[in-house]
Amino acid sequence: MTDIESEIQHLPDTEVGTAVSVIARAELDSAVMTAHAKPREIKKAINKIASLATMDEDTAARCVYALPRGGKAIRGPSVRLAEIIMQQWGNCRVEAEVIEIDRVNKIIKARGTFTDLETNTAIRLPAMRRIADKRGRLFNDDMIAVTSAAVCSIARRNVILYGVPEVVWRKAYEAVEQVIAGDIKTLAERREKAVKAFATYGVTPEQIFALLEVDSLADVTLDHVVTLAGVYSSIKHGESTIEELFDPRAGRPFEVVDNPLKDETPTGKAGAAPQGGAGAGTAPSDSPQAGAAARDQPQDKTPPPKQQPENPFRNALGPDNKR
Amino acid sequence: MIEHRGIYFELAEDEYHADPALGSTDLRRLMASGPDYWWHSSLNPTPPPAKTMPAIEYGKALHKLVLEGRQMFEANYVQRPPDLAKLDAKTKAELAPNGQTVLATDDYDAILFSAAQIASNPGLVTAFEGGQPEVSIFWHARLDDGYIVPCKARWDYLKVRGIGDLKSIRNIYGKPFGEACIRSITDYRYDIQAAHYLIGRGELAHFVQAGLVHGDHDPAWLERVAQSPSYAFQWVFYQAQGAPIVWSRSLSWGNPILEIAMRDRHKALETYRDYKQTFPTGMWRLDEPVSELQIDAMPGWYR
């Protein structure tokens, strides 16, 4: 036990708080003085960030994350790149901490704080993650601990990318993407490599194609290679899970009836076959949906017709409706 | 007890509920357990009286106004005067001579306001126009082994391309409203209701063809509904307390949400069959053997 800790133990609670804050204040003052004495060299930092992040292909791959959202991949600098940025930018402090484990709403909240010791500015940003599985059941303590680490990583990354001007790291990020993508000569090799990397998580090539919305390996472009590297990185760093990204049901195409309560165009073509049983024409024959639907149909039913595209925005009923 | 079959327009709500066929609430109870269903069903010779809570009455009144219009609303509901100190039998008879429900002053005003808000939503301006409110359908579901389960659905609003379902919810935890609606869907398994209603909708064309249509309706319009090549289910959620927020989402066939709902609906139908066969008469019981409670049966947060 140090002398200071020993002294603190004998102080009342309020005085302990005061003593700790005095120590923290002294540390901060000392860091600010050092920052002013040795200011950062901006150009040097920019170059070093780019050089470290693109040191080799594997490092570059760790510097990108990607998450599929609404049919598009959101890509950006990863936690690893943020760490390089923070280290090379210098004269700053970054902290991330869990601020609440909300077991009722099943979310965990963290916040990241970035303090620039040279300019005396601070930024604080929140981050949040679910702590429930896909059935809505609360995670156990181990999983909550794992999620805490992941949400703190996200909070740390976000606050660094806000705290350090984008102009400092943007070129490095672009260079990272180029290194990952390679060129047309390396494309075939990198596609294969990406598919193999995902195979270690049990992800099949078909699941990857579905994620990228392509039909085969030949359709995977240079840009897709970057996305795959980002997705892989986000799984590896705990920012997303295989289950979230490769739920075979998510993103599966089906015919959406656009705004079904909006008035429709008269689509009841003369002689058109009547609509068949539930789920007609859209469910695979081996799905529970089709199974239950088929079981609900009376024996004397006609087979359902295939659904057709339509313009739903006109009213077929007119003013003689029954309202 | 009358058992219905086919499509019914203007069927009284009590008559619909009295039919022993399985509706969406029955399916939800069956998801919990057979005895939960039995207790509330017509199989129970002494079922508990239906609860009338202000929130339920509020929802019913809003339905009446939004789905059936002002005239029908006023024929069924009257506003309690703000200065009326006590609502006894005599005052009620004067206030509601035709047996209307007396709504609290604030609730009545809020319902009028809510209905106006829903109608003013750009995406929902004509959502509850040009169709038919409270259409009931009764059909038979056939399970794998040929067992027949009578089913029923009462669509809030039937249109050519859709089934509209209006829900007013109280966002008690103050969540973003969309999140609260999704929570409500998962908590009360409204997805199962959607699946059940869409399956019922799938039967409509055959009942029209077979002439099993009852009540006053427009045959030409119904024919158009029957011939519509595609249709979907649409929720319209309304925040009953606080800001008048409307949130609407649809479910089309092929949506994996419906796949999950269909799976669970099917389980509920099987539970019904199993209990019916196990307890042909008398109360349905959950006869589980006594066993030790194991730690892994406890929820994650407990450990």
Side-chain angles (χ1 to χ4, degrees), chain A residues 221-239:
Chain A
T221 63
L222 293 174
D223 196 49
H224 287 142
V225 169
V226 180
T227 299
L228 284 178
V231 170
Y232 186 81
S233 164
S234 69
I235 293 167
K236 210 165 176 184
H237 299 145
E239 289 173 71

Side-chain angles (χ1 to χ4, degrees), chain A residues 99-149:
Chain A
I99 52 171
E100 189 184 355
I101 299 174
D102 181 347
R103 292 172 193 268
V104 175
N105 293 308
K106 297 170 186 168
I107 47 170
I108 189 163
K109 294 175 190 169
R111 74 174 166 217
T113 309
F114 177 94
T115 310
D116 191 317
L117 302 168
E118 261 188 63
T119 59
N120 196 27
T121 54
I123 293 169
R124 183 169 280 172
L125 289 176
M128 212 161 63
R129 290 275 287 183
R130 262 169 62 79
I131 46 171
D133 64 19
K134 64 180 178 184
R135 289 187 180 175
R137 292 175 305 196
L138 189 71
F139 285 168
N140 61 27
D141 285 348
D142 288 345
M143 275 305 293
I144 290 176
V146 170
T147 312
S148 299

Side-chain angles (χ1 to χ4, degrees), chain A residues 102-107 128 135 137-141 144 247 249-280 282-284 287-303 305-318 320-323, chain B residues 5 10 64-70 122-124 126-133 139-144 151 157 159-165 173 175 183 195 198-203 205-206 209 216-218 221 224-234 236 248 250-256 258-260 262-263 265-266 269 299-303:
Chain A
D102 181 347
R103 292 172 193 268
V104 175
N105 293 308
K106 297 170 186 168
I107 47 170
M128 212 161 63
R135 289 187 180 175
R137 292 175 305 196
L138 189 71
F139 285 168
N140 61 27
D141 285 348
I144 290 176
D247 183 339
R249 295 168 302 199
R252 192 180 62 196
F254 59 91
E255 191 179 342
V256 173
V257 178
D258 194 14
N259 202 345
L261 296 183
K262 202 158 189 176
D263 298 332
E264 82 286 0
T265 295
T267 53
K269 293 168 193 163
Q275 177 70 26
T282 52
S287 74
Q289 171 186 335
R295 285 186 285 275
D296 271 3
Q297 294 184 21
Q299 287 166 313
D300 59 347
K301 282 194 172 174
T302 50
K306 283 188 180 170
Q307 295 193 354
Q308 298 160 12
E310 58 173 22
N311 177 355
F313 299 109
R314 290 280 302 280
N315 189 356
L317 189 60
D320 62 340
N321 68 67
K322 298 290 291 175
R323 281 217 76 188
Chain B
R5 188 152 164 81
E10 299 177 346
K64 187 63 83 181
L65 180 56
V66 174
L67 307 176
E68 299 182 49
R70 184 75 182 248
L124 300 170
T126 59
F128 297 108
E129 289 174 9
Q132 279 283 356
W139 75 99
H140 285 167
R142 185 184 294 274
L143 299 180
D144 295 328
C151 292
Y157 206 73
K159 291 190 82 167
V160 173
R161 298 186 312 113
I163 299 164
D165 194 77
Y173 295 113
K175 290 171 182 285
R183 180 75 184 259
L198 280 169
I199 289 170
R201 172 67 178 80
E203 305 292 323
H206 304 282
Q209 212 169 21
D216 187 21
H217 67 282
D218 176 352
W221 173 80
R224 248 188 336 268
V225 176
Q227 298 218 358
S228 177
S230 58
Y231 51 83
F233 183 91
Q234 185 172 338
V236 178
S248 185
S250 59
L251 290 179
S252 307
W253 284 114
N255 187 321
L258 280 178
E259 207 170 280
I260 292 166
M262 296 275 280
R263 180 196 65 199
R265 171 187 177 271
H266 190 65
L269 296 183
W301 55 262
Y302 175 83
R303 284 174 273 166

Side-chain angles (χ1 to χ4, degrees), chain B residues 89-238:
Chain B
K90 190 184 165 195
T91 328
K92 191 176 177 184
E94 285 169 9
L95 201 59
N98 300 319
Q100 299 100 314
T101 303
V102 181
L103 290 174
T105 316
D106 291 349
D107 281 353
Y108 193 96
D109 289 339
I111 287 163
L112 292 183
F113 180 70
S114 305
Q117 291 305 308
I118 292 168
S120 68
N121 186 299
L124 300 170
V125 174
T126 59
F128 297 108
E129 289 174 9
Q132 279 283 356
E134 310 289 5
V135 180
S136 306
I137 185 163
F138 299 82
W139 75 99
H140 285 167
R142 185 184 294 274
L143 299 180
D144 295 328
D145 56 0
Y147 189 88
I148 299 285
V149 184
C151 292
K152 64 180 177 183
R154 190 170 170 90
W155 301 312
D156 274 359
Y157 206 73
L158 177 64
K159 291 190 82 167
V160 173
R161 298 186 312 113
I163 299 164
D165 194 77
L166 180 64
K167 296 211 182 296
S168 57
I169 64 165
R170 283 165 166 74
N171 185 3
I172 52 172
Y173 295 113
K175 290 171 182 285
F177 191 56
E179 212 176 286
C181 295
I182 290 172
R183 180 75 184 259
S184 176
I185 290 168
T186 53
D187 282 355
Y188 300 108
R189 294 308 305 267
Y190 290 143
D191 56 327
I192 293 182
Q193 180 198 16
H196 189 62
Y197 280 22
L198 280 169
I199 289 170
R201 172 67 178 80
E203 305 292 323
L204 181 139
H206 304 282
F207 286 136
V208 171
Q209 212 169 21
L212 284 169
V213 182
H214 314 270
D216 187 21
H217 67 282
D218 176 352
W221 173 80
L222 188 59
E223 189 60 33
R224 248 188 336 268
V225 176
Q227 298 218 358
S228 177
S230 58
Y231 51 83
F233 183 91
Q234 185 172 338
W235 284 295
V236 178
F237 280 86
Y238 181 80

